Amino acid sequence: KNKKLPKYIVYTLPESALNSIVNEIKCFNLPIKLLVPIKNTKNRIFPENIIVSNDTNFLPNHINIVTSDNNLRKCENNLIKIADETLFIVDEVHTAMNDSKRTSVALNISSLAYDFIVFTGTPVIDSKTYKLIAWLKMIVPYEVNNKNYLVAANNMITRSVNTKIKVNRIKIEAKFKSEEIIKYNNLIPKSLGGNNINTTNSQMKLASDICYNVCNREIIRQVMLFLKHKKGVMLVAKDKNHQNILKKLLIKNKLKSEDIFTLETGKSILLTDDSVSNGNHDYKVVIVPIKRPEGYTLTRLKVLITSIYPSNQATRTQIEGRINRIGQKANVLEYRIIHAGILTNIMNNHDDAKSLEIALIKMSKYN
């Protein structure tokens, strides 16, 4: 409206976020071009009513979108040519902090651009906070190093979003059946309440499998309870196999398959009150893997149910942000964390464990 934008706008983001972001941009009636610089796009499904091209030519007065996963690096040369006339936007910038081509291109274009903006819900993704230094150098008028980067970090947040929604977070311990507890106790060491005097790593893995089966029952019970009270559920799974298990259990409990959305590789979803009003299907349950913590919006749902999975705090924060974000109209969100047996130990003692396997190995050495 004020005609103060530069000639080009380039928005780069993970492919998992593509559909969600395109739908949000469409709400403002802005023209979009998606750059997909690959030879064969016949089997690809792209959002409707946008320009899709396999070239690397950016259109003026459009939102030019290029995914950061693989395609951003292919556009680097053309981006350099137009950088001084470009507003460059990097979504989920925490994916561009490791030593990778994606990071180097994103940093290079940001440094050359007319202006740049980066988004993330988790600017600190692990204990190696120095990864922020390269980005911080571009926003402060002094040299940034390992000794002063936290001072520079004070300047990195232009706008922080607080939804001010109350979160009712409850941890629920699932109950073993009698035959399960016998098998479980024979696998785990005495230090953890079991009978095994020479526990192996494979036995700890079997014990964790029993715990997940126990948790699955409580997870499904919780889902059906909330559905009974007309509250949609975001259900977090360990991996793709676990997603399928949970879906089968839900169908077994009389939930219709068409009311369940399973987020898989290459898929995205925008499930909001507005999208449902516009005719999108009103899914009752959306099952997502813990390793897909970004790129989709589920503000139509009011409940998140999860268990103890390999993850770090940044991942869990991103997962929770799928429902606790702008557009969420609930005053209170319900979070349920289901645990049992050694998963309870991991929850209490290895809260930031990235690897369940590592945690299990440590526990097996408690003998």
Side-chain angles (χ1 to χ4, degrees):
K1 287 181 179 179
N2 296 320
K3 301 187 184 302
K4 291 184 177 180
L5 278 174
K7 187 175 181 180
Y8 297 95
I9 304 170
V10 178
Y11 194 124
T12 185
L13 73 177
E15 187 166 0
S16 60
L18 181 60
N19 289 337
S20 178
I21 293 301
V22 166
N23 284 332
E24 292 190 24
I25 294 173
K26 283 181 178 178
C27 292
F28 296 89
N29 297 316
L30 296 169
I32 300 170
K33 177 180 180 179
L34 174 63
L35 286 76
V36 190
I38 59 177
K39 292 181 180 179
N40 187 2
T41 60
K42 287 184 179 179
N43 297 323
R44 300 285 299 276
I45 299 175
F46 299 108
E48 297 178 351
N49 301 320
I50 66 172
I51 299 170
V52 180
S53 175
N54 62 359
D55 60 41
T56 59
N57 299 317
F58 296 88
L59 285 179
N61 307 311
H62 282 66
I63 308 294
N64 295 274
I65 298 179
V66 55
T67 59
S68 56
D69 309 78
N70 298 305
N71 295 331
L72 179 62
R73 58 186 174 83
K74 299 175 184 177
C75 300
E76 184 176 19
N77 290 337
N78 277 358
L79 272 172
I80 291 173
K81 294 176 184 177
I82 64 168
D84 61 347
E85 297 182 286
T86 297
L87 170 62
F88 187 54
I89 302 167
V90 184
D91 204 348
E92 308 293 3
V93 73
H94 58 275
T95 64
M97 289 188 185
N98 290 315
D99 187 13
S100 66
K101 182 65 175 176
R102 167 172 33 191
T103 299
S104 64
V105 174
L107 285 167
N108 186 31
I109 302 304
S110 295
S111 66
L112 297 172
Y114 172 86
D115 203 355
F116 77 94
I117 304 170
V118 300
F119 300 142
T120 179
T122 49
V124 178
I125 55 175
D126 54 34
S127 59
K128 299 175 182 178
T129 50
Y130 62 82
K131 293 178 181 179
L132 284 166
I133 289 177
W135 288 102
L136 295 174
K137 284 180 177 179
M138 292 189 284
I139 61 170
V140 295
Y142 51 84
E143 180 64 27
V144 183
N145 53 46
N146 286 326
K147 294 183 179 180
N148 71 351
Y149 69 89
L150 289 178
V151 177
N154 286 323
N155 297 278
M156 75 179 177
I157 300 176
T158 301
R159 179 169 298 175
S160 179
V161 176
N162 183 354
T163 61
K164 298 181 180 179
I165 298 171
K166 180 182 177 182
V167 173
N168 187 19
R169 190 188 308 271
I170 298 177
K171 298 176 181 178
I172 298 174
E173 185 170 4
K175 303 302 180 185
F176 287 85
K177 292 181 179 179
S178 56
E179 63 272 19
E180 290 171 330
I181 196 65
I182 293 171
K183 290 180 181 179
Y184 173 75
N185 285 336
N186 287 334
L187 291 168
I188 62 170
K190 289 186 176 182
S191 58
L192 294 176
N195 305 317
N196 198 337
I197 60 174
N198 189 23
T199 309
T200 65
N201 293 340
S202 60
Q203 287 174 323
M204 291 297 288
K205 175 62 170 60
L206 288 173
S208 74
D209 290 342
I210 293 174
C211 293
Y212 278 122
N213 288 334
V214 172
C215 288
N216 287 346
R217 284 199 306 273
E218 182 61 29
I219 286 171
I220 300 304
R221 193 183 77 84
Q222 290 290 326
V223 171
M224 301 311 295
L225 182 64
F226 281 111
L227 292 181
K228 185 177 179 181
H229 290 86
K230 309 298 182 183
K231 291 185 177 182
V233 177
M234 175 184 173
L235 183 51
V236 184
K238 182 172 179 282
D239 49 32
K240 183 178 179 179
N241 181 56
H242 193 209
Q243 282 181 285
N244 293 332
I245 291 172
L246 292 174
K247 182 175 181 178
K248 289 178 181 178
L249 289 172
L250 287 170
I251 293 172
K252 188 177 179 180
N253 278 265
K254 311 302 182 184
L255 186 61
K256 295 179 180 178
S257 177
E258 57 266 31
D259 287 333
I260 305 170
F261 182 90
T262 304
L263 186 68
E264 300 171 357
T265 302
K267 283 188 178 182
S268 186
I269 182 172
L270 178 69
L271 185 61
T272 67
D273 292 336
D274 289 340
S275 71
V276 171
S277 296
N278 291 331
N280 288 3
H281 188 71
D282 190 9
Y283 292 101
K284 294 180 179 178
V285 178
V286 177
I287 311 176
V288 306
I290 187 70
K291 292 183 179 179
R292 286 284 302 278
E294 57 215 12
Y296 52 94
T297 298
L298 300 173
T299 53
R300 176 72 171 175
L301 308 177
K302 316 303 179 189
V303 180
L304 184 149
I305 298 176
T306 186
S307 186
I308 310 302
Y309 307 126
S311 62
N312 56 29
Q313 187 56 51
T315 296
R316 293 191 289 274
T317 299
Q318 286 278 349
I319 280 284
E320 293 181 3
R322 298 310 97 202
I323 63 172
N324 191 356
R325 62 196 299 108
I326 292 175
Q328 176 58 259
K329 297 179 181 178
N331 294 320
V332 179
L333 293 175
E334 301 289 346
Y335 289 2
R336 298 293 183 269
I337 301 99
I338 314 301
H339 59 94
I342 54 177
L343 299 182
T344 303
N345 294 85
I346 292 172
M347 179 183 69
N348 293 334
N349 302 315
H350 301 270
D351 198 38
D352 200 36
K354 292 182 182 179
S355 170
L356 183 64
E357 182 181 0
I358 292 173
L360 292 173
I361 289 173
K362 286 182 178 179
M363 287 187 176
S364 70
K365 294 177 180 179
Y366 285 171
N367 290 304

